[in-house]
């Protein structure tokens, strides 16, 4: 009985996972980037706002997106993961990391183009909050393109800003 209940969900997820065609109106011959701190996918009233995030991404017609503050897979949010949701609804590849177990707020990369390599890292922060970085290479129609997505710490400490900026600049 459990198999009969869960099988339709697995089939839907499998079909969605293999569809990487992007969405209507999105450019497919060049990179059009977007970065956004989505505040964990909540609206101003504290409700999940995943559909509006999706709507804005489609309006901008970005095909390579870095979202920060994406850690939404928590019990109080019924473990509804915005990265998984957007990957399926936008029909894009995605990468997430570093893990929020490392005390970051979550960095996610979405791309119409295949992600060939992705390194995830917690940026140095001896005085403030941990910040995350994704350093990735995309296969843009046969040409490799490097993309860096970063969420700097929201701290007033000069040392944090210097260390984090130096780490990113040396890539």
């Amino acid at each position: 009985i459990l198999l009969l209940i869960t099988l339709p969900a697995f089939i839907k997820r499998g079909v969605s996972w293999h569809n990487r065609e992007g969405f209507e109106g999105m450019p497919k011959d060049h990179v059009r980037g977007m970065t956004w701190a989505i505040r964990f996918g909540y609206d101003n009233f504290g409700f999940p706002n995943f559909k509006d995030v999706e709507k804005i991404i489609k309006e901008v017609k970005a095909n390579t997106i870095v979202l920060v503050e994406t850690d939404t897979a928590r019990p109080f949010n019924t473990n509804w993961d915005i990265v998984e949701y957007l990957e399926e609804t936008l029909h894009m590849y995605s990468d997430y990391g570093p893990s929020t177990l490392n005390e970051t707020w979550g960095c996610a990369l979405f791309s119409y183009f295949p992600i060939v390599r992705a390194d995830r890292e917690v940026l140095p922060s001896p005085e403030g909050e941990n910040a995350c970085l994704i350093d990735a290479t995309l296969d843009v129609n046969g040409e490799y393109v490097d993309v860096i997505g970063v969420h700097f710490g929201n701290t007033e400490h000069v040392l944090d800003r210097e260390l984090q900026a130096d780490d990113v600049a040396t890539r």
Side-chain angles (χ1 to χ4, degrees), residues 26-27 30-36 57 60-66 92 109-111 113 138 147:
M26 177 191 68
H30 64 279
V31 173
R32 182 179 178 116
M34 172 184 187
T35 186
W36 186 11
I57 290 171
V60 172
K61 295 184 170 77
N63 59 20
T64 303
I65 303 127
V66 173
M92 294 181 149
L109 168 67
F110 299 89
S111 182
F113 305 104
L138 308 177
V147 175

Side-chain angles (χ1 to χ4, degrees), residues 6-130:
T6 58
L7 190 59
F10 282 115
I11 291 171
K12 179 192 176 298
R13 297 281 313 276
V15 169
S16 178
W17 186 80
H18 287 289
N19 178 5
R20 301 286 189 236
E21 297 176 2
F23 55 87
E24 188 176 336
M26 177 191 68
K28 297 182 179 180
D29 59 342
H30 64 279
V31 173
R32 182 179 178 116
M34 172 184 187
T35 186
W36 186 11
I38 61 166
R39 299 182 334 149
F40 310 103
Y42 293 111
D43 64 16
N44 290 336
F45 304 102
F47 294 103
N49 200 25
F50 295 6
K51 291 186 186 297
D52 283 343
V53 171
E54 173 192 357
K55 178 183 166 192
I56 291 171
I57 290 171
K58 286 181 175 180
E59 285 175 3
V60 172
K61 295 184 170 77
N63 59 20
T64 303
I65 303 127
V66 173
L67 299 181
V68 297
E69 298 179 6
T70 56
D71 178 27
T72 59
R74 301 288 181 181
F76 60 81
N77 197 29
T78 64
N79 284 323
W80 197 22
D81 182 14
I82 194 164
V83 176
E84 180 180 29
Y85 172 82
L86 290 173
E87 176 185 31
E88 289 184 10
T89 59
L90 296 174
H91 307 294
M92 294 181 149
Y93 297 94
S94 73
D95 189 78
Y96 181 84
S99 167
T100 54
L101 295 175
N102 294 321
E103 300 178 16
T104 69
W105 299 109
C107 286
L109 168 67
F110 299 89
S111 182
Y112 163 73
F113 305 104
I115 301 170
V116 176
R117 175 197 59 82
D119 296 323
R120 300 153 218 89
E121 164 180 340
V122 176
L123 294 173
S125 184
E127 298 291 331
E129 77 176 76
N130 290 332

